[in-house]
Protein backbone atom coordinates (compact mmCIF):
# COMPACT_ATOMS: atom_id res chain seq x y z
CA UNK A 1 0.00 0.00 0.00
CA UNK A 2 0.99 3.62 -0.46
CA UNK A 3 0.26 5.81 2.51
CA UNK A 4 0.94 9.38 3.63
CA UNK A 5 2.77 9.44 6.96
CA UNK A 6 3.68 12.27 9.33
CA UNK A 7 6.66 11.75 11.67
CA UNK A 8 6.61 15.23 13.22
CA UNK A 9 4.14 18.12 13.37
CA UNK A 10 4.63 21.01 10.97
CA UNK A 11 3.71 22.48 7.61
CA UNK A 12 2.74 20.66 4.41
CA UNK A 13 6.38 19.62 3.93
CA UNK A 14 6.09 17.01 6.74
CA UNK A 15 3.68 14.91 4.65
CA UNK A 16 5.56 11.89 3.25
CA UNK A 17 4.30 9.23 0.83
CA UNK A 18 5.65 5.81 1.82
CA UNK A 19 5.31 2.21 0.65
CA UNK A 20 4.07 0.11 3.57
CA UNK A 21 3.05 -3.50 4.08
CA UNK A 22 -0.66 -3.97 4.81
CA UNK A 23 -1.46 -6.93 7.02
CA UNK A 24 -4.66 -8.93 7.19
CA UNK A 25 -7.79 -7.24 8.59
CA UNK A 26 -8.59 -7.91 12.24
CA UNK A 27 -11.75 -9.84 13.15
CA UNK A 28 -13.89 -6.68 13.18
CA UNK A 29 -12.20 -4.97 10.21
CA UNK A 30 -12.39 -4.98 6.43
CA UNK A 31 -9.72 -4.16 3.88
CA UNK A 32 -10.76 -1.23 1.69
CA UNK A 33 -9.28 -0.17 -1.63
CA UNK A 34 -9.74 3.60 -1.45
CA UNK A 35 -11.04 5.08 -4.72
CA UNK A 36 -11.20 8.68 -3.48
CA UNK A 37 -10.08 10.46 -0.31
CA UNK A 38 -11.68 13.56 1.20
CA UNK A 39 -9.55 16.65 1.84
CA UNK A 40 -10.68 18.39 5.01
CA UNK A 41 -9.46 21.28 7.12
CA UNK A 42 -9.22 19.07 10.19
CA UNK A 43 -6.42 17.18 8.38
CA UNK A 44 -4.28 20.32 8.63
CA UNK A 45 -4.87 20.42 12.40
CA UNK A 46 -3.60 16.84 12.77
CA UNK A 47 -0.60 17.65 10.56
CA UNK A 48 0.33 20.90 12.35
CA UNK A 49 -0.10 19.56 15.86
CA UNK A 50 -3.04 21.82 16.73
CA UNK A 51 -4.90 18.56 17.37
CA UNK A 52 -2.03 16.37 18.63
CA UNK A 53 -1.82 12.73 17.50
CA UNK A 54 0.70 10.01 18.48
CA UNK A 55 3.57 10.06 15.96
CA UNK A 56 4.47 8.63 13.53
CA UNK A 57 0.94 8.49 12.18
CA UNK A 58 -1.15 8.16 9.09
CA UNK A 59 -3.42 11.08 8.30
CA UNK A 60 -6.90 11.65 6.90
CA UNK A 61 -10.33 10.75 8.24
CA UNK A 62 -12.49 10.42 5.13
CA UNK A 63 -12.54 8.20 2.06
CA UNK A 64 -14.73 6.01 -0.11
CA UNK A 65 -13.83 2.74 -1.77
CA UNK A 66 -14.53 -0.95 -2.22
CA UNK A 67 -14.12 -3.81 0.25
CA UNK A 68 -11.55 -6.41 -0.88
CA UNK A 69 -11.32 -8.56 2.30
CA UNK A 70 -13.42 -9.06 5.44
CA UNK A 71 -12.45 -10.06 8.96
CA UNK A 72 -13.76 -13.29 10.48
CA UNK A 73 -16.41 -11.62 12.66
CA UNK A 74 -17.78 -9.24 10.03
CA UNK A 75 -21.42 -9.98 9.17
CA UNK A 76 -22.93 -6.78 7.74
CA UNK A 77 -20.36 -6.10 4.99
CA UNK A 78 -18.98 -8.27 2.18
CA UNK A 79 -16.31 -8.20 -0.51
CA UNK A 80 -17.39 -5.85 -3.31
CA UNK A 81 -19.46 -3.50 -1.14
CA UNK A 82 -18.99 0.19 -1.87
CA UNK A 83 -18.37 1.97 1.41
CA UNK A 84 -17.38 5.30 2.93
CA UNK A 85 -16.16 6.59 6.29
CA UNK A 86 -15.17 9.79 8.07
CA UNK A 87 -13.87 8.80 11.49
CA UNK A 88 -10.78 7.62 13.35
CA UNK A 89 -8.45 5.83 13.15
CA UNK A 90 -6.44 8.22 10.99
CA UNK A 91 -5.02 6.86 7.75
CA UNK A 92 -7.43 7.68 4.93
CA UNK A 93 -4.57 9.14 2.84
CA UNK A 94 -3.68 5.69 1.49
CA UNK A 95 -4.30 3.40 -1.46
CA UNK A 96 -5.56 0.56 0.78
CA UNK A 97 -6.22 0.19 4.48
CA UNK A 98 -7.82 -1.98 7.14
CA UNK A 99 -10.72 -0.26 8.84
CA UNK A 100 -13.21 -1.17 11.63
CA UNK A 101 -16.76 -1.71 10.43
CA UNK A 102 -18.30 0.15 13.37
CA UNK A 103 -17.49 3.46 11.61
CA UNK A 104 -18.29 2.30 8.07
CA UNK A 105 -21.39 2.96 5.94
CA UNK A 106 -22.53 1.56 2.61
CA UNK A 107 -22.73 3.93 -0.35
CA UNK A 108 -26.02 3.67 -2.28
CA UNK A 109 -26.03 3.01 -6.02
CA UNK A 110 -27.07 6.58 -6.85
CA UNK A 111 -23.90 8.10 -5.37
CA UNK A 112 -20.48 7.66 -7.03
CA UNK A 113 -17.44 7.08 -4.84
CA UNK A 114 -15.69 10.38 -5.63
CA UNK A 115 -18.80 12.26 -4.56
CA UNK A 116 -19.16 10.06 -1.47
CA UNK A 117 -15.60 10.93 -0.45
CA UNK A 118 -16.54 14.63 -0.36
CA UNK A 119 -19.84 14.06 1.44
CA UNK A 120 -19.15 12.16 4.61
CA UNK A 121 -17.38 14.79 6.72
CA UNK A 122 -18.96 17.86 5.15
CA UNK A 123 -22.44 16.35 4.75
CA UNK A 124 -22.65 14.81 8.21
CA UNK A 125 -21.32 18.05 9.70
CA UNK A 126 -24.14 19.92 7.95
CA UNK A 127 -26.66 17.33 9.13
CA UNK A 128 -25.78 17.60 12.81
CA UNK A 129 -25.47 21.41 12.69
CA UNK A 130 -28.91 21.93 11.14
CA UNK A 131 -30.83 19.04 12.67
CA UNK A 132 -29.19 18.25 16.01
CA UNK A 133 -27.04 21.07 17.43
CA UNK A 134 -29.50 23.83 16.60
CA UNK A 135 -32.51 22.52 14.62
CA UNK A 136 -33.16 25.41 12.22
CA UNK A 137 -36.80 26.09 11.34
CA UNK A 138 -38.46 27.27 8.16
CA UNK A 139 -38.56 31.06 8.05
CA UNK A 140 -35.65 31.42 10.49
CA UNK A 141 -32.59 33.52 9.57
CA UNK A 142 -29.24 31.82 10.15
CA UNK A 143 -25.61 32.83 9.59
CA UNK A 144 -22.86 30.56 8.29
CA UNK A 145 -19.23 31.64 7.95
CA UNK A 146 -17.05 30.51 4.99
CA UNK A 147 -20.12 30.11 2.79
CA UNK A 148 -18.12 29.29 -0.36
CA UNK A 149 -16.13 26.49 1.27
CA UNK A 150 -16.77 22.76 1.09
CA UNK A 151 -19.11 22.61 4.12
CA UNK A 152 -20.53 26.04 3.32
CA UNK A 153 -21.74 25.04 -0.13
CA UNK A 154 -23.60 22.02 1.24
CA UNK A 155 -24.91 23.99 4.23
CA UNK A 156 -26.38 26.75 2.07
CA UNK A 157 -28.34 24.35 -0.12
CA UNK A 158 -29.48 22.25 2.84
CA UNK A 159 -30.58 25.22 4.94
CA UNK A 160 -32.45 26.68 1.96
CA UNK A 161 -34.27 23.36 1.46
CA UNK A 162 -35.52 23.71 5.06
CA UNK A 163 -36.97 27.14 4.26
CA UNK A 164 -34.35 29.19 6.10
CA UNK A 165 -33.26 32.70 5.18
CA UNK A 166 -29.52 32.07 4.85
CA UNK A 167 -26.77 34.64 5.40
CA UNK A 168 -23.22 33.68 4.48
CA UNK A 169 -19.83 35.31 4.79
CA UNK A 170 -16.89 34.93 2.40
CA UNK A 171 -13.34 36.23 2.29
CA UNK A 172 -13.30 37.72 -1.21
CA UNK A 173 -15.65 39.19 -3.80
CA UNK A 174 -14.83 36.30 -6.14
CA UNK A 175 -16.56 33.92 -3.75
CA UNK A 176 -19.82 35.88 -3.49
CA UNK A 177 -21.36 34.29 -6.58
CA UNK A 178 -20.27 30.83 -5.45
CA UNK A 179 -22.18 31.30 -2.20
CA UNK A 180 -25.24 32.75 -3.92
CA UNK A 181 -25.31 29.81 -6.32
CA UNK A 182 -25.44 27.49 -3.31
CA UNK A 183 -28.54 28.86 -1.61
CA UNK A 184 -27.41 31.93 0.30
CA UNK A 185 -29.85 34.84 0.27
CA UNK A 186 -27.31 37.38 1.55
CA UNK A 187 -23.52 37.18 1.18
CA UNK A 188 -21.07 39.43 3.07
CA UNK A 189 -17.36 39.82 2.33
CA UNK A 190 -16.04 39.98 5.89
CA UNK A 191 -12.70 41.37 4.70
CA UNK A 192 -14.46 44.46 3.32
CA UNK A 193 -17.54 44.91 5.48
CA UNK A 194 -18.33 44.58 9.18
CA UNK A 195 -20.47 41.45 9.00
CA UNK A 196 -22.07 42.04 12.42
CA UNK A 197 -23.36 45.44 11.28
CA UNK A 198 -24.59 43.96 8.00
CA UNK A 199 -26.44 41.21 9.88
CA UNK A 200 -28.15 43.84 12.04
CA UNK A 201 -29.27 45.64 8.86
CA UNK A 202 -30.59 42.42 7.31
CA UNK A 203 -32.49 41.48 10.50
CA UNK A 204 -33.74 45.03 11.17
CA UNK A 205 -31.73 45.14 14.37
CA UNK A 206 -33.22 41.96 15.82
CA UNK A 207 -30.14 39.77 15.52
CA UNK A 208 -30.01 36.01 15.07
CA UNK A 209 -31.00 32.97 17.08
CA UNK A 210 -27.95 31.04 15.82
CA UNK A 211 -24.55 31.51 14.20
CA UNK A 212 -22.69 28.52 12.75
CA UNK A 213 -18.99 29.44 12.90
CA UNK A 214 -16.27 27.21 11.47
CA UNK A 215 -13.77 30.05 10.98
CA UNK A 216 -12.90 30.59 14.62
CA UNK A 217 -10.49 33.18 15.90
CA UNK A 218 -11.22 36.06 13.51
CA UNK A 219 -15.02 35.77 13.54
CA UNK A 220 -15.85 34.82 17.13
CA UNK A 221 -16.46 38.29 18.59
CA UNK A 222 -18.46 39.44 15.56
CA UNK A 223 -20.55 36.28 15.73
CA UNK A 224 -21.37 36.94 19.38
CA UNK A 225 -22.41 40.47 18.40
CA UNK A 226 -24.82 39.06 15.77
CA UNK A 227 -26.79 37.02 18.29
CA UNK A 228 -29.95 38.14 20.03
CA UNK A 229 -30.84 37.39 23.64
CA UNK A 230 -30.58 33.66 24.41
CA UNK A 231 -29.08 32.98 20.99
CA UNK A 232 -26.73 30.06 20.31
CA UNK A 233 -23.11 30.34 19.21
CA UNK A 234 -22.16 27.12 17.39
CA UNK A 235 -18.37 27.13 17.15
CA UNK A 236 -17.16 24.09 15.21
CA UNK A 237 -13.87 25.01 13.51
CA UNK A 238 -10.63 26.98 13.55
CA UNK A 239 -9.95 27.92 9.92
CA UNK A 240 -8.53 31.33 10.95
CA UNK A 241 -6.68 29.95 13.97
CA UNK A 242 -7.54 28.45 17.38
CA UNK A 243 -10.00 30.32 19.55
CA UNK A 244 -8.78 32.47 22.39
CA UNK A 245 -10.09 31.52 25.84
CA UNK A 246 -13.71 32.66 26.14
CA UNK A 247 -14.44 35.42 28.62
CA UNK A 248 -17.83 34.25 29.84
CA UNK A 249 -18.65 37.49 31.67
CA UNK A 250 -17.92 39.55 28.55
CA UNK A 251 -19.14 37.32 25.72
CA UNK A 252 -21.84 35.02 27.11
CA UNK A 253 -23.45 36.57 30.18
CA UNK A 254 -24.74 39.92 28.79
CA UNK A 255 -27.28 38.25 26.48
CA UNK A 256 -27.57 34.89 28.26
CA UNK A 257 -26.12 33.13 25.22
CA UNK A 258 -25.56 29.44 24.67
CA UNK A 259 -22.11 28.34 23.45
CA UNK A 260 -21.40 24.88 22.07
CA UNK A 261 -18.35 23.31 20.46
CA UNK A 262 -19.66 20.26 18.55
CA UNK A 263 -17.92 17.69 16.37
CA UNK A 264 -18.97 14.71 14.28
CA UNK A 265 -17.76 12.27 16.96
CA UNK A 266 -20.35 13.53 19.44
CA UNK A 267 -23.21 13.00 16.97
CA UNK A 268 -22.20 9.59 15.61
CA UNK A 269 -21.58 7.75 18.87
CA UNK A 270 -23.79 4.77 17.95
CA UNK A 271 -24.46 2.77 14.79
CA UNK A 272 -27.99 4.18 14.77
CA UNK A 273 -26.75 7.79 14.87
CA UNK A 274 -24.16 7.17 12.13
CA UNK A 275 -26.67 5.48 9.85
CA UNK A 276 -29.26 8.22 10.43
CA UNK A 277 -26.75 10.90 9.50
CA UNK A 278 -25.26 9.12 6.48
CA UNK A 279 -28.65 8.08 5.12
CA UNK A 280 -29.92 11.65 5.34
CA UNK A 281 -26.83 12.97 3.56
CA UNK A 282 -27.18 10.46 0.73
CA UNK A 283 -30.92 11.22 0.51
CA UNK A 284 -30.23 14.95 0.11
CA UNK A 285 -27.89 14.18 -2.79
CA UNK A 286 -29.98 11.54 -4.58
CA UNK A 287 -33.08 13.78 -4.42
CA UNK A 288 -31.13 16.73 -5.84
CA UNK A 289 -31.67 18.98 -2.82
CA UNK A 290 -27.91 19.14 -2.41
CA UNK A 291 -25.62 19.18 -5.45
CA UNK A 292 -21.85 18.90 -5.20
CA UNK A 293 -19.12 19.65 -7.71
CA UNK A 294 -15.54 18.56 -7.07
CA UNK A 295 -13.33 21.62 -7.51
CA UNK A 296 -9.99 19.83 -7.80
CA UNK A 297 -8.42 16.38 -7.77
CA UNK A 298 -4.94 15.59 -6.43
CA UNK A 299 -2.74 12.51 -6.46
CA UNK A 300 -1.06 11.23 -3.29
CA UNK A 301 2.30 12.51 -4.52
CA UNK A 302 0.82 16.03 -4.66
CA UNK A 303 -0.46 15.91 -1.09
CA UNK A 304 1.75 18.76 0.15
CA UNK A 305 0.37 21.03 -2.57
CA UNK A 306 -3.17 19.97 -1.67
CA UNK A 307 -2.62 21.15 1.91
CA UNK A 308 -1.08 24.41 0.73
CA UNK A 309 -4.11 25.06 -1.49
CA UNK A 310 -6.50 24.16 1.31
CA UNK A 311 -4.88 26.49 3.83
CA UNK A 312 -4.54 29.36 1.36
CA UNK A 313 -8.32 29.26 0.75
CA UNK A 314 -7.93 29.07 -3.06
CA UNK A 315 -10.18 26.03 -3.44
CA UNK A 316 -13.67 26.89 -4.62
CA UNK A 317 -15.36 23.74 -3.40
CA UNK A 318 -14.70 20.20 -2.19
CA UNK A 319 -11.50 18.51 -3.37
CA UNK A 320 -10.46 14.86 -3.42
CA UNK A 321 -7.26 12.87 -3.49
CA UNK A 322 -7.16 9.99 -5.98
CA UNK A 323 -4.69 7.34 -4.74
Amino acid sequence: MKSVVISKPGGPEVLEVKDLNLGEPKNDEVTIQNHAIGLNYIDTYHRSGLYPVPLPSGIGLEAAGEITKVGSDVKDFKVGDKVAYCAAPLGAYSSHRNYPTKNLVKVPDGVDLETAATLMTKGITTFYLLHKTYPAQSGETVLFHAAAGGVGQIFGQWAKSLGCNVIGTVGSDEKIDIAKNNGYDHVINYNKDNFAEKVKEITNGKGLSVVYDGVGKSTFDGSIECLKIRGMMVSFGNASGPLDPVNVARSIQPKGLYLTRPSIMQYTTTREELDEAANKVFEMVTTGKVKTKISKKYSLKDISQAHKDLESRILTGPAVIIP
Side-chain angles (χ1 to χ4, degrees):
M1 61 180 284
K2 288 190 178 297
S3 183
V4 176
V5 176
I6 49 174
S7 299
K8 60 182 180 181
E13 71 280 354
V14 303
L15 299 165
E16 300 178 88
V17 181
K18 294 189 175 183
D19 291 306
L20 303 174
N21 291 321
L22 179 64
E24 294 297 308
K26 295 178 182 177
N27 292 354
D28 61 344
E29 293 181 335
V30 296
T31 301
I32 303 169
Q33 179 182 356
N34 286 332
H35 286 233
I37 301 156
L39 184 65
N40 295 291
Y41 221 93
I42 193 173
D43 303 341
T44 70
Y45 304 156
H46 292 140
R47 186 210 72 221
S48 70
L50 178 63
Y51 292 177
V53 298
L55 298 175
S57 174
I59 188 171
L61 287 167
E62 175 182 48
E66 186 174 334
I67 294 176
T68 59
K69 291 181 182 179
V70 297
S72 58
D73 294 339
V74 174
K75 307 300 181 192
D76 296 331
F77 295 89
K78 66 183 186 301
V79 170
D81 280 349
K82 293 180 179 180
V83 292
Y85 57 89
C86 66
L90 298 180
Y93 287 15
S94 58
S95 59
H96 302 72
R97 71 177 305 195
N98 295 325
Y99 192 79
T101 57
K102 67 184 180 71
N103 296 326
L104 200 60
V105 301
K106 294 179 182 178
V107 178
D109 290 338
V111 180
D112 68 82
L113 290 175
E114 289 188 5
T115 300
T118 72
L119 280 176
M120 291 296 291
T121 299
K122 300 172 184 68
I124 291 178
T125 296
T126 301
F127 167 77
Y128 80 69
L129 289 175
L130 281 170
H131 291 274
K132 301 293 184 178
T133 306
Y134 182 93
Q137 303 299 312
S138 178
E140 194 166 19
T141 301
V142 302
L143 172 63
F144 187 94
H145 290 300
V151 179
Q153 291 184 27
I154 294 173
F155 182 97
Q157 297 175 67
W158 199 316
K160 199 62 190 170
S161 77
L162 297 175
C164 295
N165 181 38
V166 197
I167 306 172
T169 67
V170 295
S172 68
D173 286 345
E174 292 76 19
K175 293 182 177 180
I176 290 175
D177 285 343
I178 295 173
K180 287 185 174 179
N181 289 336
N182 282 282
Y184 290 86
D185 300 283
H186 308 274
V187 184
I188 304 162
N189 180 346
Y190 55 60
N191 285 321
K192 288 178 64 175
D193 295 311
N194 183 315
F195 70 83
E197 291 181 359
K198 289 289 185 181
V199 166
K200 289 176 184 176
E201 291 176 14
I202 293 167
T203 61
N204 295 317
K206 295 177 181 177
L208 303 168
S209 296
V210 63
V211 174
Y212 301 97
D213 188 349
V215 173
K217 188 180 183 73
S218 67
T219 51
F220 184 85
D221 288 340
S223 296
I224 292 292
E225 190 178 342
C226 289
L227 290 164
K228 60 186 176 184
I229 288 177
R230 299 192 305 276
M232 179 178 283
M233 174 64 178
V234 182
S235 173
F236 67 98
N238 314 282
S240 67
L243 289 176
D244 293 324
V246 176
N247 184 325
V248 174
R250 178 175 67 86
S251 298
I252 305 303
Q253 187 275 331
K255 290 189 281 189
L257 300 179
Y258 297 90
L259 169 63
T260 184
R261 181 72 177 181
S263 72
I264 282 181
M265 292 183 296
Q266 298 148 1
Y267 289 92
T268 54
T269 60
T270 65
R271 165 54 63 180
E272 290 74 22
E273 287 180 338
L274 176 60
D275 284 342
E276 178 191 13
N279 290 339
K280 187 63 178 179
V281 170
F282 292 138
E283 175 195 320
M284 294 296 286
V285 173
T286 56
T287 57
K289 292 179 180 177
V290 168
K291 297 179 174 66
T292 62
K293 182 179 180 181
I294 294 171
S295 65
K296 195 163 185 177
K297 299 179 184 180
Y298 299 89
S299 65
L300 277 181
K301 66 180 178 62
D302 296 324
I303 191 60
S304 293
Q305 186 62 50
H307 272 228
K308 289 176 185 175
D309 292 350
L310 184 62
E311 290 181 300
S312 65
R313 312 278 188 91
I314 68 171
L315 295 174
T316 57
V320 293
I321 305 154
I322 307 298

